[in-house]
Amino acid sequence: MPQDLPPTGGYEPIQYKRNIPARGFRPSYYLFAMGGIMVYGFYKVGKGIREQNELAREKMWSRIHLIPLLQAEEDRDLVRRHFADQAREKALLGTETSAYNGDRFVRPTFAVSPQQVTK
């Protein structure tokens, strides 16, 4: 009995896939698009960081330039309080007494600290 053999040249290829066109762009296009978006985002973040640094520098210099004005204001307030204390002392005691050796104003060397320290 003769055996069944494939035809000479083989069988035709079997179509197991459907011929559906690919939707959208190639994946490499999406990769380049996302890379471009990320590069643009990093560029904007870098510009924002530079802007924040510039604003912080400007704020620091403005505070540095305000220090003499604030110091003068504090000195005027301390002198006003000192003269008010002397006037109050003269009104209560009738005479000016001094605990110091001289009559010139000396900045107080103590600081008022809060009673309860919170962190």
Side-chain angles (χ1 to χ4, degrees):
M1 175 160 187
Q3 186 175 0
D4 251 352
L5 292 174
T8 55
Y11 294 110
E12 292 180 13
I14 298 172
Q15 182 181 0
Y16 63 91
K17 291 196 281 185
R18 296 173 57 190
N19 283 333
I20 298 176
R23 293 182 52 172
F25 300 109
R26 283 192 245 167
S28 61
Y29 291 165
Y30 288 115
L31 183 66
F32 288 133
M34 284 304 299
I37 290 170
M38 288 177 61
V39 165
Y40 177 73
F42 283 127
Y43 169 73
K44 293 298 274 186
V45 165
K47 280 186 69 170
I49 288 172
R50 272 196 227 119
E51 180 71 21
Q52 290 295 325
N53 288 343
E54 181 65 26
L55 289 174
R57 186 188 66 79
E58 183 179 334
K59 185 177 185 180
M60 184 62 67
W61 276 105
S62 66
R63 288 182 179 180
I64 287 170
H65 290 299
L66 279 178
I67 286 174
L69 177 72
L70 297 174
Q71 187 67 45
E73 186 177 345
E74 182 185 357
D75 290 345
R76 282 192 300 270
D77 186 50
L78 285 174
V79 168
R80 182 190 58 81
R81 287 173 184 244
H82 176 70
F83 288 138
D85 284 343
Q86 281 184 344
R88 192 176 315 116
E89 181 181 327
K90 188 173 185 180
L92 290 175
L93 300 177
T95 178
E96 286 188 26
T97 60
S98 177
Y100 304 108
N101 293 330
D103 59 345
R104 71 181 178 88
F105 176 76
V106 179
R107 178 188 294 266
T109 57
F110 61 89
V112 179
S113 61
Q115 291 181 359
Q116 294 183 355
V117 178
T118 60
K119 290 190 177 190

